[in-house]
Amino acid sequence: MKIRRTLPGLTAACLFALALGMSLPAAEKTRLLVISGGHDFQTNQFHQVFQDNADVVFGAFTHPKAHAQLRPEAAKNYDVMVLYDMWQPISDEAKADFLAFLKSGKGLVILHHAVANYQKWPEYEKILGGRYYLAKTMVNGVEKPPSIWKHDVDFTVRIADPNHPVTRGLKDFQIHDETYGLFDMAPDSHALLTTDEATSAKNIGWTRTYEGARVVYVQLGHDAQAYRNPNFQKLIAQAIRWAARKD
Ligand SMILES: [Zn+2]
């Protein structure tokens, strides 16, 4: 969790990658809007997770141009938004577009450092169903210390609800990943993943609904060591399917 200085002139990525997998006709694939920016990551290896998913096609966009994809004329091309950004500025127009996307019943999958987005937009916390504290924060009269992170931890992810479509078929698994501590899941989110790892908060994956939208948060996914974990890939594929109401 290191904030990256955004390079001026950094342009929106790029590809509207047509997945090569042939398991579904193109018209039935889930169309993903994948948003990044504000935090470094292994771009090609991350996108490989979606290229290897035969059920999706995706467009990948980077801030500060990504919000343009939420305008109604662009948003109609997507079924699910995947957030892998760590970004603070958001205009009133982009807020309204973001909320309209969700109110139309489309899905939202929030990954890893995107938990720390939009710290000054209180509605994001309600959408996410949790909160990461980039700085010391007063919450209902209680002082919350800044959340913490630790790289390169080997730990066990426990499946808190094996009957949910997002976690179905998954068993407790080991992963090598970054942990986040001292961040919160909201009491009205539904826990899917937990861990006993000391450097991590207990709840590290959950679901909820926001307006008409199905929302999933997964804390995992710092780098390729996580992206390559088959359990991570299955989890993300099932999160997308559930968010798209295709479970
Ligand atoms: Zn990370």
Side-chain angles (χ1 to χ4, degrees):
M1 174 76 70
K2 233 187 239 169
I3 300 170
R4 189 191 68 198
R5 303 276 168 260
T6 303
L7 299 171
L10 185 70
T11 54
C14 53
L15 49 158
F16 206 86
L18 290 172
L20 296 173
M22 300 303 284
S23 68
L24 283 177
E28 293 176 28
K29 290 177 189 274
T30 300
R31 302 164 305 165
L32 304 181
L33 168 59
V34 179
I35 294 180
S36 62
H39 195 296
D40 287 325
F41 65 104
Q42 293 170 299
T43 309
N44 293 340
Q45 293 95 324
F46 180 68
H47 289 162
Q48 195 67 43
V49 173
F50 306 107
Q51 278 156 0
D52 290 344
N53 182 342
D55 295 345
V56 307
V57 290
F58 72 100
F61 295 86
T62 302
H63 292 298
K65 295 193 171 176
H67 285 152
Q69 295 301 310
L70 296 173
R71 301 261 60 217
E73 60 274 18
K76 67 180 189 325
N77 297 316
Y78 305 108
D79 305 307
V80 172
M81 178 164 31
V82 176
L83 297 182
Y84 195 56
D85 51 351
M86 195 169 128
W87 195 250
Q88 303 309 327
I90 182 166
S91 67
D92 288 343
E93 180 185 72
K95 287 176 185 170
D97 290 342
F98 197 116
L99 296 178
F101 187 97
L102 300 178
K103 285 176 181 171
S104 71
K106 297 185 177 196
L108 176 61
V109 176
I110 302 174
L111 299 179
H112 195 58
H113 46 241
V115 72
N117 278 341
Y118 308 127
Q119 300 256 306
K120 292 188 175 153
W121 183 29
E123 202 63 22
Y124 186 72
E125 181 187 342
K126 296 182 190 158
I127 295 165
L128 165 71
R131 190 160 180 189
Y132 189 97
Y133 307 96
L134 285 177
K136 191 167 66 180
T137 306
M138 291 297 288
V139 178
N140 301 325
V142 177
E143 186 178 288
K144 293 281 188 174
S147 303
I148 55 174
W149 68 94
K150 187 167 194 293
H151 288 291
D152 294 313
V153 183
D154 289 291
F155 61 103
T156 303
V157 177
R158 301 203 184 281
I159 307 301
D161 180 359
N163 298 315
H164 194 280
V166 174
T167 40
R168 196 169 290 153
L170 283 164
K171 294 191 163 49
D172 296 356
F173 63 91
Q174 291 291 121
I175 197 163
H176 181 95
D177 205 346
E178 180 185 16
T179 57
Y180 294 164
L182 306 178
F183 77 104
D184 292 328
M185 179 183 82
D188 62 348
S189 292
H190 178 73
L192 291 181
L193 307 175
T194 62
T195 185
D196 300 327
E197 160 58 33
T199 60
S200 176
K202 180 181 179 213
N203 292 301
I204 56 170
W206 59 76
T207 62
R208 60 194 284 107
T209 55
Y210 175 88
E211 301 286 348
R214 287 178 169 182
V215 179
V216 183
Y217 175 65
V218 174
Q219 183 275 332
L220 304 169
H222 176 72
D223 65 12
Q225 296 192 74
Y227 311 154
R228 283 196 296 260
N229 186 308
N231 296 290
F232 177 81
Q233 294 173 6
K234 185 177 172 78
L235 189 61
I236 301 312
Q238 293 186 162
I240 291 166
R241 199 176 307 143
W242 183 76
R245 300 178 179 275
K246 290 184 176 173
D247 57 296

